[in-house]
Amino acid sequence: MKSLDIAIAGAGPGGLAAALFLSRAGHRVRLIERFEQPKPLGSGLMLQPTGLAALHALGLYREIAALGAPIDRLVGTDARTGRNVLEVRYQPLGVGQHALGVHRAALFGVLHHAVVAAGLSIRSGYTVTQLQRDHSKSWLLSPQGLEGPFDLVVDALGSQSPLKRYARARSTARPLAYGAIWGTTPWTDDRFDRQALSQRYRGSSVMIGVMPVGRRQPDGPELAAFFWSLKPADHAMLLQRGFAEWRQIVEAHWPATASHLDAIGSFDRMTLARYQHHTLPVPAGDGIAFIGDSAHSTSPQLGQGANMALLDAAALTAAIEAGDSLDDALERYVAMRRWHVRLYQFLSMTLTPFYQSDSRAMPVLRDILVSSFARIPPVPRMLAGMVSGQLLNPLRAIGLKPAPLGEVR
Ligand SMILES: Cc1cc2nc3c(=O)[nH]c(=O)nc-3n(C[C@H](O)[C@H](O)[C@H](O)COP(=O)(O)OP(=O)(O)OC[C@H]3O[C@@H](n4cnc5c(N)ncnc54)[C@H](O)[C@@H]3O)c2cc1C
């Protein structure tokens, strides 16, 4: 298709990756972001082989691999018995297969640096509120004025996007009862496995996690993301009862976290994250495509959100390249991502209550199933395929090659 004028609204992982993919495919892109200085929010996340393949296609894999921490397994332990009730390894997928724990600032820095180096146009301090269509062209509206005309708007504004109403079919967002408070702490090898995302549970109402996330910059210290599962409705009460009381509760469940709690020291260093679940049935509309959390958001229990945003960005670019017209390209994009997105949204919605809910039965069932079946072949490989984001082989649909995970660690 001919070269298009494209607005990319939102400079999160999805928007930044889309700007790079689309400009490299010959389109004129303009990134639009509400913050004056585009910046990442939050602590760490896990890049799966899927997201790493998208970064590899952008030539950014080695840079992010040098900053992140390779994660070979996910381990969950029952706080009362000390028994492992979750163990998923990447190894059944092949030698050297792993995920990468990264600080959000590291992922943002690598993508943003590439966007700046490519000289792409960025409009910051602009809060998108509406879309306007006229004679096959689109404009973005905000209290800061009008931006346009564009042939296509890519909505990468995240789960609260005000543009979702322009999708061909709407979705209803469902806030989840549980969220979490997150903080960043120095990494310690003392009683923590540097190649594992470690979690500790009591039933499904208590979940504590420690994940190595590598470094923010090449010369920075090694870091960890620390999280505590919490109902946003209980956040005010937690703050009122104070850090010291909470700290005692956390340490009672997991004494090894003492050094992380020392480093956090106050609730000021922890951010409340609320989760909501929504999936646009058709992530496209008249002159607009939706990628990342604006198209589908969920709890991060399966650690797929940023990876799916990166895949969406690659898929949209491939669809535009293959399409005869913009409408044809958007249809191809929707088809390319449909089943992978639906499957992972379904899995996240189904599995989250086993780890974050008030149910008494679900964690018991979880522990029985995981301890009895999880080690019997082919279940370990199926679980590895699921957490790595590779069920239904989303890379093949988009034409992405795997990142050389075994070579760079
Ligand atoms: C606590 C937590 C842990 C997570 N862990 C993982 C994990 O381990 N692995 C994983 O893959 N995913 C994880 N996720 C999910 C992941 O963070 C999201 O899926 C991902 O950030 C989505 O990227 P995005 O680019 O679509 O949207 P976002 O990252 O939300 O970016 C949206 C951008 O748009 C800008 N914006 C928003 N509204 C406007 C507006 N009106 N006008 C202009 N600009 C606007 C924002 O400032 C932001 O820059 C986690 C999420 C949370 C909350």
Side-chain angles (χ1 to χ4, degrees), residues 9-15 32-35 39 41 44-47 104 126-129 156-159 161-162 180 182 211 273-275 291-294 300 303-309:
I32 291 171
E33 167 60 44
R34 66 180 163 186
F35 290 128
K39 59 183 177 189
L41 292 177
L45 52 81
M46 250 171 112
L47 288 174
R104 270 167 199 274
Y126 185 97
T127 303
V128 176
T129 53
L157 293 172
S159 58
S161 169
W182 287 72
M211 177 168 80
R274 298 166 198 273
Y275 307 148
I291 66 169
D293 275 17
S294 81
Q304 303 295 325
N307 298 280
M308 301 232 281

Side-chain angles (χ1 to χ4, degrees), residues 74-86 190-193 196-211 225-230 249-258 301 354-356 363 366-367:
L74 320 181
V75 186
T77 309
D78 184 304
R80 280 170 296 199
T81 63
R83 221 160 33 104
N84 274 8
V85 291
L86 171 77
D190 181 20
R191 294 195 279 171
F192 287 94
D193 177 347
L197 161 60
S198 306
Q199 296 183 338
R200 195 148 284 211
Y201 320 116
R202 199 191 71 222
S204 50
S205 58
V206 170
M207 178 170 68
I208 311 163
V210 174
M211 177 168 80
F226 181 92
F227 59 90
W228 165 263
S229 184
L230 178 76
I249 298 171
V250 179
E251 271 195 79
H253 286 95
W254 199 355
T257 55
Q301 196 58 44
F354 284 95
Y355 295 90
Q356 286 192 299
R366 168 195 78 195
D367 296 352

Side-chain angles (χ1 to χ4, degrees), residues 23 36 57 76 82 105 109 141 146 161 169 172 184 187 189 225 262 287 303 311 354 364 369-370:
S23 71
E36 285 296 344
L141 266 67
L146 204 63
S161 169
T172 312
T184 302
W187 173 257
D189 282 319
D262 282 343
L311 291 181
F354 284 95
V364 174
L369 287 176
V370 170

